[in-house]
Amino acid sequence: MQFWALFKRDVLVAWRRKANVYQPLVFQLLVVTMFPLGLGAGAQTLSKIAPAVVWILALLSTLITLENIFKDDFEDGSLGVYVLSGMSLPLAILSKTTAHWCTTGIPVILFAPVIAMLLHLPEHAYGILMLSLAIATPIFSLLGTVGSALIMNIKNGGMLLSVLIMPLLAPVLIFGAGAVLETALSNSASTHLLLLSGSLVLSLTLAPLAAAAAIRINLE
Amino acid sequence: MGSGLLSMPFFIKSKPQSSSPKSILLTTPSLQIINAQCQRSGESLFTPTSLQLNAGELAVIAGPNGSGKTTLMEAVAGLGLFTQGEFLFNNRQSHEEWLEHSHYLGHKLGNKGNLSCEENLRFICHINQVQVSTDEIESVLEQAGLGGYDYHFASDLSAGQKKRLALGRLLLLKKTYWLLDEPFVNLDQAGCDWLYQIIKNHVKQGGAVIITAHDQKKIHELAQHYITLQPFVEGVE
């Protein structure tokens, strides 16, 4: 009940602030239209770089949404409300992570084919692209909560958050973009997807605990 | 910090106290803070402070600005930590039990701006595992002077109304211990009278309240405990 109460609240808050949901998608669309202009290249070059570009865009567009996961709650005091509710803190964090994934991760997954199309990614790779993002976007949200919890009481902590989180997300990018690339070249992507799934399980078990510790440190 | 870490409520799960005899049975819940001290930016704020508060009592914490009233309140609530001293609830260091029986209302009210008054109160109840009906919420909003504001966003309210909305929680959650940090700030005269009345009723019905408040003579007269925080001076004990 507590889990759903917090989840429902977070989804509602994000939904009412629609910019939160649109921002990553608009960002992706703006950047992707720059590629053909900047490269001045044809469909062939674009389709070669497409797996990497789609993935990097998904990663960066999620990154800009991470800062506020806990910052808003810390600033308006509602963090105290659920920390003191007697609810297990890692569970509360998991609830917030789920809400974050639903409001940013799912739109990114659904939007990926549009970005892929603009970059001439071979059509048979769309399925794996969405699958790999479906496995990876929860990792973005999970690791994001750790970073967000660390910087919640720092003004303009966005830069610090990126520096903290990026190295952790690099393997995810390598496996994810790798999976799409292999599929585009008509090879099997299962190794990459398995490693990606392993990363998901690892972050699912550890990230809520790490974020809970970070919140306790920051509340001092 | 070292040993100080052990005494703060936050990391304590439920450590059995070997020193407290099991034969003591308390009929009313009681809170004990013994020689507690808090720090801000590595400096101790006040001299060791003790307080014993039983159900049905009111404690006022006073002290000049910067003396650490809010820091102390947060530490008592479980949001901060004591760097020294002991915190006992019902003679145990049970943090869970304490959270179950207390509600803290600080300077940051914890209302979500883009949720309506009704949604804010409903969330607070659900996260504290309290079942609540729409009628109850409406009646509390009515009492808080926010009748008809059910579907207004909290961000559209004035500062005083936001405070009233947050205070409305106390009536819905029905916890024994209320920790109120400057609850009278921003309230108009009618609001102050209302708050005074609910605090008085709460204490009369066996609740307990710790409050920090300036210039509230009526509240000060009601209090059984009056604690003035003394600024801690390095080297002077």
Side-chain angles (χ1 to χ4, degrees):
Chain A
M1 177 172 153
Q2 291 170 311
F3 183 91
W4 290 115
L6 189 54
F7 172 79
K8 234 172 69 184
R9 186 204 73 160
D10 265 27
V11 171
L12 198 60
V13 166
W15 188 245
R16 295 238 169 102
R17 215 176 283 155
K18 287 206 173 54
N20 278 3
V21 184
Y22 295 147
Q23 196 186 15
L25 306 182
V26 172
F27 171 80
Q28 289 194 26
L29 205 58
L30 287 176
V31 176
V32 83
T33 49
M34 296 296 138
F35 269 88
L37 300 175
L39 282 169
Q44 264 196 324
T45 323
L46 280 177
S47 78
K48 256 186 215 160
I49 60 164
V53 173
V54 178
W55 252 85
I56 292 170
L57 281 180
L59 180 65
L60 292 182
S61 64
T62 313
L63 206 60
I64 52 179
T65 66
L66 295 177
E67 188 181 347
N68 287 329
I69 298 179
F70 288 111
K71 205 183 189 98
D72 288 347
D73 286 358
F74 178 72
E75 271 163 13
D76 65 22
S78 53
L79 181 79
V81 169
Y82 53 82
V83 168
L84 296 180
S85 70
M87 179 185 191
S88 138
L89 195 50
L91 188 70
I93 287 159
L94 208 54
S95 163
K96 285 189 72 71
T97 313
T98 317
H100 179 260
W101 180 70
C102 286
T103 51
T104 61
I106 292 180
V108 164
I109 299 168
L110 296 178
F111 201 60
V114 178
I115 303 293
M117 196 179 67
L118 292 169
L119 290 166
H120 297 279
L121 184 78
E123 268 166 38
H124 64 270
Y126 283 20
I128 293 293
L129 171 67
M130 288 176 82
L131 178 63
S132 63
L133 281 174
I135 303 170
T137 41
I139 307 179
F140 297 167
S141 298
L142 283 161
L143 294 177
T145 54
V146 182
S148 183
L150 280 168
I151 59 125
M152 68 182 183
N153 57 356
I154 300 173
K155 262 193 190 139
N156 304 319
M159 196 64 210
L160 183 60
L161 173 71
S162 310
V163 173
L164 285 170
I165 291 301
M166 271 305 210
L168 295 171
L169 290 176
V172 182
L173 175 69
I174 293 167
F175 302 140
V180 182
L181 187 66
E182 292 299 334
T183 314
L185 297 171
S186 303
N187 296 331
S188 159
S190 57
T191 319
H192 291 89
L193 290 178
L194 286 174
L195 283 165
L196 214 51
S197 311
S199 313
L200 174 59
V201 174
L202 186 70
S203 44
L204 190 61
T205 40
L206 294 182
L209 299 176
I215 286 180
R216 282 174 185 161
I217 291 168
N218 272 337
L219 289 176
E220 203 200 29
Chain B
M1 291 188 188
S3 64
L5 276 173
L6 285 174
S7 56
M8 70 193 174
F10 221 111
F11 288 97
I12 298 293
K13 287 298 170 205
S14 47
K15 217 176 97 197
Q17 270 291 96
S18 53
S19 60
S20 69
K22 281 186 187 121
S23 56
I24 295 181
L25 276 174
L26 285 169
T27 45
T28 51
S30 82
L31 168 74
Q32 265 179 294
I33 300 161
I34 305 156
N35 285 333
Q37 247 187 332
C38 294
Q39 287 189 342
R40 191 170 50 210
S41 332
E43 279 178 39
S44 295
L45 286 169
F46 43 80
T47 52
T49 302
S50 299
L51 168 69
Q52 169 149 14
L53 190 68
N54 297 318
E57 291 183 336
L58 173 75
V60 171
I61 295 174
N65 291 137
S67 58
K69 296 188 293 290
T70 296
T71 314
L72 175 64
M73 287 294 261
E74 284 182 353
V76 174
L79 274 180
L81 60 90
F82 293 115
T83 42
Q84 177 192 312
E86 232 179 327
F87 177 95
L88 299 172
F89 183 59
N90 289 348
N91 277 346
R92 285 187 297 274
Q93 290 185 325
S94 168
H95 187 46
E96 276 87 0
E97 210 178 323
W98 169 241
L99 288 185
E100 217 174 280
H101 288 95
S102 65
H103 190 75
Y104 168 66
L105 190 63
H107 286 279
K108 294 175 178 176
L109 300 173
N111 298 324
K112 268 285 168 202
N114 59 2
L115 294 185
S116 70
C117 296
E118 191 252 354
E119 285 163 340
N120 265 303
L121 288 180
R122 192 179 292 274
F123 166 72
I124 298 279
C125 287
H126 286 172
I127 199 81
N128 283 288
Q129 293 187 301
V130 172
Q131 291 290 351
V132 69
S133 69
T134 310
D135 288 347
E136 281 176 88
I137 292 180
E138 262 175 32
S139 106
V140 162
L141 283 173
E142 197 80 46
Q143 287 174 54
L146 293 170
Y149 281 90
D150 306 29
Y151 302 109
H152 282 61
F153 284 150
S155 57
D156 294 341
L157 302 177
S158 75
Q161 286 174 318
K162 282 176 188 157
K163 195 94 186 196
R164 284 163 177 262
L165 175 61
L167 288 164
R169 282 179 214 161
L170 298 170
L171 301 176
L172 284 170
L173 294 177
K174 303 187 178 80
K175 307 262 187 174
T176 313
Y177 280 80
W178 291 357
L179 307 173
L180 309 175
D181 194 3
E182 298 288 1
F184 289 96
V185 170
N186 290 333
L187 289 180
D188 55 16
Q189 192 54 50
C192 289
D193 292 343
W194 168 67
L195 178 56
Y196 173 75
Q197 209 54 49
I198 62 169
I199 289 175
K200 198 174 165 187
N201 288 343
H202 184 63
V203 172
K204 207 185 270 174
Q205 288 161 11
V209 181
I210 304 179
I211 195 169
T212 64
H214 291 291
D215 302 330
Q216 292 294 329
K217 284 213 179 69
K218 278 162 84 183
I219 279 289
H220 293 189
E221 282 163 15
L222 210 60
Q224 283 82 9
H225 304 276
Y226 191 89
I227 292 168
T228 309
L229 295 181
Q230 305 291 345
F232 180 83
V233 183
E234 206 72 50
V236 182
E237 271 293 301

